[in-house]
Amino acid sequence: MPRAPIPTWCFALVVVRRGDHFLIVQESKYGQPWYLPAGRVEQGESFADAAVRETLEEAGIPVRVTGLIRVEHSPSPAGARMRVIYLAEPTDDTPPKTEPDDESLGAAWVTRDELAKYALRGTEVTELFDFVANGGAVYSPDIIQAEGVPYRIGH
């Protein structure tokens, strides 16, 4: 008997770093706290492409993914959730957006010490910024590949 597919919701989260500053966005939902650029991966989109798109939509900042911090898989009886957390850097000096829209209320560059001034969605933002600032392990974003891509030694 064939098994039913497991519904899986996929999300990309992005820690964007510029020197000693990190990018945060003010969400228009969940009580309007500040969080990382993040969102659901759209049909046909890679996790990395979703990370770049979500950062541009929510913060107005074009970025380049530079590393992969962690892949999380949380199965439950109703399905599963996957989150891929990337490290990225801005590709230019575009300032964070300040005009609210459907994606976010705005964005800001902050230092780790300035985070205390913001109502954060949870402790995850602080934990991730500390992890990156203190030299936590960051992997090549190429570790995630599409099926069928040839295996290469030394790549």
Side-chain angles (χ1 to χ4, degrees):
M1 173 181 279
R3 291 182 279 165
I6 300 168
T8 303
W9 293 268
C10 298
F11 298 89
L13 290 77
V14 193
V15 175
V16 183
R17 184 177 191 182
R18 185 183 70 190
D20 65 345
H21 287 79
F22 293 91
L23 186 65
I24 57 175
V25 296
Q26 187 174 22
E27 299 182 308
S28 57
K29 51 189 172 186
Y30 310 120
Q32 302 177 346
W34 292 81
Y35 194 58
L36 304 169
R40 191 175 295 191
V41 178
E42 295 180 357
Q43 188 171 357
E45 184 176 47
S46 71
F47 280 98
D49 288 345
V52 170
R53 176 185 52 76
E54 288 289 347
T55 305
L56 187 59
E57 288 176 354
E58 294 182 357
I61 304 288
V63 297
R64 178 177 75 87
V65 168
T66 59
L68 190 144
I69 297 171
R70 183 154 85 177
V71 176
E72 299 175 340
H73 179 248
S74 302
S76 75
R81 180 168 87 154
M82 284 190 68
R83 297 186 338 154
V84 175
I85 304 170
Y86 285 103
L87 181 63
E89 64 186 12
T91 59
D92 62 26
D93 293 329
T94 301
K97 83 173 184 184
T98 56
E99 295 294 321
D101 61 20
D102 291 341
E103 299 295 334
S104 71
L105 300 178
W109 287 109
V110 297
T111 64
R112 171 59 191 83
D113 292 338
E114 292 169 336
L115 271 181
K117 299 175 188 175
Y118 294 84
L120 300 175
R121 184 166 157 189
T123 60
E124 183 175 39
V125 174
T126 303
E127 291 169 9
L128 278 164
F129 290 0
D130 285 346
F131 180 83
V132 169
N134 291 315
V138 176
Y139 305 94
S140 169
D142 293 341
I143 200 165
I144 296 180
Q145 292 285 321
E147 289 181 45
V149 171
Y151 293 90
R152 295 193 184 116
I153 296 174
H155 184 266

